[in-house]
Amino acid sequence: MTTHKAFSLLILLFAPVFVFSAAAVQAATEQKYIRTVENYVVPDVTLVNQNGLKVRLRTLLSSDKPVLVDFIFTTCTTICPVLSANFSNFQRKLGPESSKVQLVSISIDPEHDTPEAMKSYLENRYTAKPGWDFLTGSKKDIDLVIKAFDAYSQNKMAHLPLILLRSMTDNRWIRIYGLIGTAELIREYQKALK
Amino acid sequence: MIKVFHMPEIFLFRQSSMVLLLLLAVFLTDTAMAENKQPALIAGVSHEVALRLGERMYREGILPSGEPMQAVVEGDIPVDGKMFSCVSCHQRSGMGSYEGRVITLPINSTNLYRPLSPMGDLSRSARDKMPQWLLTGDTRPAYTDETLALVLRAGGDPGGRTINDIMPRYFLNDRDMEIMIYYLKNLSPELSPGVNATTLHLATVITEDVSRQDREAMLLPLQRYAEGWGKSRHLELRAKKGPFTDEIMNKGYRKLRLSVWDLKGQPESWKSQLEEYYRNDPVFALLGGISTGEWGPIHTFCEDHKIPAILPVTDFPVISDSDWYTLYFSKGLYQEGEAAAKYLRRLEHIPDTVSVVQVFRNNRSGLALSNAFRKTWEGFAHPSPANRMLGQDEVITPDLWRKLTALHKDSIMLLWLDAKDLSAVGSIAEVLDRPKMVFASSSLLGEKLYSLPDSVRSFFYITYPYRLPQEEKRYKTTTETWLKNNQIPVTNLKTQSKMYFISSLLTTPLTMIQSNYYRDYFLELLDMMEDQTYTIAIYPRLSFGPGQRYASKGCYIVQLGNGPQPELIPRSDWVIY
């Protein structure tokens, strides 16, 4: 707390807007997410999946299948459980078609998220079906990936609620910022196919 | 009950401002207990059973029936208790969290049954200092049992608003709801022991096997920190006389009183000594502490009494996925055995069927390293390693090395032995048909690591659970400067840098906690800390997260360069998967 004065100023600036104002709640309710289309260059790094296997990220993300990506960690409190529950429900809703979609969760806490922790997270908590991979790797490589997708936060507790979908038409990325339901995710997925 | 605020896109926060918002959120707490006139039975069971069942719902997402709780988030995503439960966002203490631009406000018993207002329990003088526009915020009426049930099921709060969809809407029958509400009414109902209006009482534990020099290396930095906490920044005065923001930031300021709990005799007797210390003078938390032997009895004492123990100096932490109250720097020696197994598993030229032999003594170090390796190695579906446990008085002669080497020439050898036992290890190099890889622990070798004979360096691999020496100089300077400024001579920089780290780590949680001195909340604030790389000299990184209890996650495998002052050459990344 060395920047005490700056903190005080921030209280004045932000507290009434976010903590005390019902309007903030209302605004968030009305605009659930922000959708943009982005060009990202996937770094050429090799990560490790939940089975301990090395995975070249570029290859995985340029799969012939539709690809959805999110950034999570296994001990996350609020955002990741909802993102993961959505991926789980997305697979369930798609039924047999889910095997034709590649879901990729990338750890933003790679030193803690070992393959064993990730496997347990996918299988025991979210009943993941084949086609959902969880990747970890060196902090340096993971930071490269997160920055390449404009998803970097210095503190993992302040990370962004993001889902990225690779468009099947031009390989650009549809960026969903904010938490959404499965029906909305499926709508975005179907748009990405066209 | 629960306010979860999405941050609009326009405001992208750095961690500091998120921290502030949480600070404000918890500031809304007061100390008055909710009216609590309960019938003899809750949902047909005793109060004790109701609390146990409620805790299971809150923490594990399991209904009294044994089935997972069911709910919906974000409008249409079904979730069950295995995926997440109340504790995920609201935390054990009920004091909430901030994460991913979502603030989860406190729901402990003192907050639910009173109105939630922008002013919280600010003093009259502080209110007078606040700008009027800040006092016009929304107020949420106090919850009743009925409105609490409504918000849990349908998301409507007593003020008529609908809370954010990230809060699950739970499918709870009336009986389960009654149990849940009873649990919430009893969640963090009063401050933890060890704190009063002026002072936060802490203790540090030292076992009698610790040398005087090491004792002081651990103790003096902590004492200086406790004596100086808040004084240079006049936190107490600012809380009373500063602008209202100072009251918010510092109203929970307490002086720190650090007791020393010396433990004597065998570890079996430590429990009763700790109980007596605690009975006579309860503490809020343990800070630091040091032992050359086991830490288990102190760990168990803390679990039993729910006392946080922050970063003791020990090579023998208790290894557990579920214990809660002790935060360690690392898994100690266990981490080195684990790293050796992970490294070997990743070597493509090593077949899965390779035979491995571990040589160690039947002592705490040998057992910690060999057990860690065995458990990790077997976890990768490899055959169990062979163990060669040396007798109590068995002397390791050059001849024994030659025999062992010849016997295990096709194996990988792990020598979990100290420098004295490895003094004649050069004999291995004399055997032509010897193992291709030999492993040892830098923690057991100590400074003698650098004296390993040149002849073995090409096939000796060392577990090294610290920042590499060639990279630590600039980080050491920070610790050394702090020690100098506090008139503490440098005697054991490893231990002293750990204690300096504790002092730098604590400032944020001790500020953010304000007056909410709940032990679980204190730990939760530590869990939310950002990864640390600069304030710790001896580790490349210390990281935290909800429920994570070993802050350093890595261990290099290194080899020695040539010459009398060899460089450590890393053969692995810091974290090996």
Side-chain angles (χ1 to χ4, degrees):
Chain A
M1 297 289 169
T2 52
T3 53
H4 180 78
K5 284 183 182 171
F7 282 13
S8 304
L9 184 62
L10 281 165
I11 290 178
L12 286 169
L13 286 173
F14 297 133
V17 179
F18 297 121
V19 177
F20 300 134
S21 167
V25 185
Q26 195 60 39
T29 307
E30 285 169 0
Q31 189 182 8
K32 284 200 73 170
Y33 68 97
I34 295 165
R35 180 186 193 274
T36 55
V37 181
E38 310 284 350
N39 285 305
Y40 294 129
V41 178
V42 180
D44 191 9
V45 295
T46 297
L47 304 178
V48 177
N49 75 7
Q50 71 277 7
N51 298 314
L53 300 174
K54 290 183 178 176
V55 175
R56 192 176 174 211
L57 187 65
R58 263 189 192 167
T59 309
L60 183 68
L61 298 192
S62 59
S63 152
D64 292 339
K65 300 175 180 178
V67 176
L68 282 74
V69 175
D70 68 4
F71 299 93
I72 62 171
F73 61 107
T74 58
T75 62
C76 175
T77 55
T78 305
I79 297 296
C80 316
V82 177
L83 288 171
S84 298
N86 204 358
F87 268 16
S88 176
N89 197 38
F90 177 81
Q91 283 195 320
R92 197 173 61 84
K93 289 272 185 192
L94 253 54
E97 191 186 335
S98 73
S99 63
K100 297 175 188 164
V101 182
Q102 179 65 56
L103 304 183
V104 181
S105 295
I106 297 174
S107 172
I108 56 167
D109 188 14
E111 294 195 348
H112 180 266
D113 287 343
T114 60
E116 299 76 34
M118 298 188 305
K119 192 177 176 69
S120 171
Y121 182 89
L122 286 184
E123 293 180 359
N124 299 334
R125 288 177 62 183
Y126 293 98
T127 328
K129 294 178 186 167
W132 183 358
D133 281 326
F134 198 167
L135 306 178
T136 190
S138 72
K139 176 85 175 124
K140 186 179 153 203
D141 286 345
I142 290 286
D143 281 354
L144 276 177
V145 176
I146 302 172
K147 285 175 181 171
F149 283 105
D150 192 18
Y152 183 77
S153 297
Q154 191 168 325
N155 183 0
K156 60 180 175 282
M157 297 303 289
H159 71 118
L160 309 177
L162 277 181
I163 296 178
L164 305 165
L165 301 91
R166 204 194 70 219
S167 163
M168 293 303 280
T169 53
D170 58 7
N171 282 332
R172 293 205 292 170
W173 290 89
I174 296 153
R175 179 185 175 98
I176 306 293
Y177 175 77
L179 291 169
I180 59 175
T182 307
E184 288 159 320
L185 182 59
I186 288 176
R187 268 200 300 278
E188 290 292 347
Y189 159 72
Q190 286 166 342
K191 274 196 243 174
L193 293 179
K194 294 171 186 168
Chain B
M1 175 182 85
I2 303 150
K3 293 292 174 205
V4 185
F5 295 85
H6 272 259
M7 300 305 163
E9 168 71 11
I10 191 170
F11 294 100
L12 297 177
F13 287 100
R14 293 168 61 90
Q15 182 209 8
S16 54
S17 44
M18 293 301 291
V19 165
L20 269 180
L21 291 176
L22 182 65
L23 251 168
L24 275 161
V26 298
F27 178 69
L28 304 176
T29 305
D30 74 6
T31 51
M33 269 292 291
E35 195 71 26
N36 195 7
K37 291 174 186 170
Q38 295 292 341
L41 294 177
I42 306 297
V45 297
S46 69
H47 290 220
E48 189 185 7
V49 171
L51 281 180
R52 185 162 47 75
L53 293 172
E55 182 178 283
R56 197 163 67 145
M57 291 168 76
Y58 185 89
R59 291 189 183 177
E60 300 171 48
I62 298 173
L63 292 166
S65 65
E67 294 296 312
M69 291 168 74
Q70 302 291 336
V72 170
V73 293
E74 294 301 327
D76 68 351
I77 307 174
V79 294
D80 68 34
K82 289 200 306 286
M83 295 178 175
F84 58 92
S85 58
C86 318
V87 76
S88 305
C89 304
H90 294 287
Q91 307 280 287
R92 280 194 180 209
S93 66
M95 293 302 293
S97 61
Y98 73 95
E99 197 226 288
R101 287 148 168 74
V102 174
I103 297 175
T104 306
L105 290 183
I107 55 156
N108 65 321
S109 59
T110 54
N111 275 288
L112 287 175
Y113 289 84
R114 71 177 182 94
L116 185 69
S117 80
M119 289 166 286
D121 57 352
L122 267 180
S123 68
R124 184 76 233 173
S125 64
R127 286 186 206 187
D128 291 343
K129 294 176 196 168
M130 291 173 76
Q132 281 306 303
W133 55 266
L134 200 51
L135 299 175
T136 55
D138 221 17
T139 296
R140 184 265 288 147
Y143 277 98
T144 63
D145 290 359
E146 290 72 28
T147 55
L148 201 46
L150 179 69
V151 77
L152 285 169
R153 287 182 173 131
D157 87 352
R161 296 174 301 179
T162 300
I163 64 171
N164 196 289
D165 287 343
I166 198 172
M167 167 70 196
R169 275 50 165 174
Y170 282 100
F171 302 110
L172 291 174
N173 65 33
D174 289 346
R175 179 174 183 266
D176 295 344
M177 182 64 79
E178 189 178 348
I179 289 170
M180 172 55 85
I181 288 174
Y182 183 69
Y183 179 74
L184 293 175
K185 280 180 176 171
N186 287 279
L187 182 58
S188 297
E190 55 192 31
L191 299 184
S192 300
V195 62
N196 61 31
T198 60
T199 307
L200 184 68
H201 188 196
L202 307 166
T204 191
V205 175
I206 304 174
T207 59
E208 73 173 338
D209 46 271
V210 174
S211 70
R212 184 175 179 78
Q213 188 183 64
D214 288 350
R215 173 191 175 90
E216 301 217 331
M218 191 283 296
L219 188 55
L220 283 178
L222 286 190
Q223 287 178 327
R224 292 285 193 281
Y225 174 71
E227 288 158 11
W229 164 238
K231 281 188 183 162
S232 64
R233 302 209 316 274
H234 309 289
L235 298 184
E236 194 173 11
L237 185 67
R238 284 158 67 167
K240 287 178 187 159
K241 300 197 170 173
F244 78 93
T245 47
D246 271 359
E247 177 172 338
I248 291 175
M249 297 286 285
N250 304 311
K251 73 175 189 147
Y253 173 76
R254 302 286 190 279
K255 291 172 186 154
L256 301 183
R257 179 160 70 88
L258 182 70
S259 296
V260 179
W261 290 2
D262 282 303
L263 299 182
K264 301 189 183 310
Q266 294 301 306
E268 298 76 41
S269 68
W270 292 354
K271 178 178 162 59
S272 61
Q273 294 177 56
L274 288 164
E275 296 285 358
E276 189 175 346
Y277 276 123
Y278 186 62
R279 210 168 27 248
N280 293 337
D281 205 359
V283 294
F284 181 78
L286 300 183
L287 212 56
I290 187 167
S291 174
T292 63
E294 64 178 294
W295 195 260
I298 305 156
H299 176 107
T300 304
F301 166 79
C302 289
E303 287 297 308
D304 290 348
H305 290 277
K306 299 181 167 51
I307 300 172
I310 308 305
L311 299 169
V313 178
T314 172
D315 283 336
F316 306 101
V318 171
I319 308 300
S320 166
D321 290 334
S322 55
D323 285 357
W324 199 255
Y325 286 96
T326 301
L327 172 61
Y328 294 103
F329 278 102
S330 74
K331 293 180 184 171
L333 289 178
Y334 190 95
Q335 200 148 311
E336 294 183 52
E338 207 175 47
K342 289 180 175 180
Y343 177 72
L344 273 177
R345 173 233 193 176
R346 283 280 167 210
L347 295 179
E348 289 175 4
H349 66 277
I350 302 290
D352 286 351
T353 51
V354 67
S355 95
V356 178
V357 59
Q358 305 195 92
V359 185
F360 58 95
R361 290 198 182 273
N362 184 15
N363 57 26
R364 196 170 290 115
S365 305
L367 293 172
L369 283 154
S370 58
N371 283 336
F373 180 87
R374 178 189 53 75
K375 198 172 166 194
T376 313
W377 190 243
E378 289 173 354
F380 297 139
H382 290 300
S384 300
N387 289 335
R388 171 71 164 86
M389 197 187 291
L390 299 171
Q392 181 91 22
D393 302 318
E394 191 172 353
V395 178
I396 307 183
T397 60
D399 190 46
L400 178 60
W401 278 131
R402 284 190 283 271
K403 282 182 184 163
L404 271 175
T405 307
L407 187 63
H408 299 291
K409 60 183 167 42
D410 296 323
S411 302
I412 287 165
M413 285 183 87
L414 312 177
L415 307 182
W416 302 132
L417 299 164
D418 64 17
K420 189 178 162 201
D421 278 336
L422 290 176
S423 58
V425 80
S427 313
I428 295 179
E430 297 164 13
V431 181
L432 284 178
D433 202 9
R434 55 163 172 74
K436 301 292 182 287
M437 298 180 85
V438 176
F439 284 75
S441 155
S442 66
S443 295
L444 293 195
L445 283 164
E447 283 304 307
K448 295 286 183 187
L449 161 68
Y450 298 95
S451 313
L452 276 174
D454 280 343
S455 59
V456 304
R457 291 183 187 179
S458 66
F459 60 93
F460 255 64
Y461 294 78
I462 313 292
T463 54
Y464 193 80
Y466 298 110
R467 196 191 289 273
L468 295 170
Q470 56 266 36
E471 293 171 4
E472 69 182 0
K473 190 177 174 206
R474 69 191 173 111
Y475 300 98
K476 277 183 173 176
T477 305
T478 311
T479 303
E480 287 167 345
T481 304
W482 186 85
L483 291 170
K484 189 178 171 189
N485 290 343
N486 284 278
Q487 290 88 47
I488 301 171
V490 176
T491 53
N492 179 336
L493 199 60
K494 260 201 171 88
T495 297
Q496 288 172 316
S497 67
K498 288 179 177 179
M499 296 305 109
Y500 164 67
F501 176 75
I502 291 177
S503 72
S504 67
L505 181 74
L506 283 185
T507 298
T508 297
L510 284 180
T511 305
M512 287 178 66
I513 201 166
Q514 299 198 42
S515 299
N516 304 297
Y517 284 97
Y518 306 108
R519 288 166 171 168
D520 283 341
Y521 186 46
F522 179 58
L523 274 173
E524 288 153 14
L525 291 170
L526 285 164
D527 287 347
M528 285 190 269
M529 291 296 292
E530 191 173 323
D531 294 3
Q532 305 289 316
T533 56
Y534 187 70
T535 51
I536 182 67
I538 62 170
Y539 298 107
R541 176 185 314 278
L542 294 178
S543 62
F544 307 88
Q548 296 183 24
R549 292 293 173 260
Y550 308 96
S552 167
K553 314 292 198 290
C555 175
Y556 288 111
I557 304 297
V558 301
Q559 286 195 284
L560 265 67
N562 296 321
Q565 292 177 316
E567 191 181 9
L568 298 186
I569 305 163
R571 297 300 186 206
S572 75
D573 287 336
W574 169 240
V575 176
I576 310 167
Y577 296 104

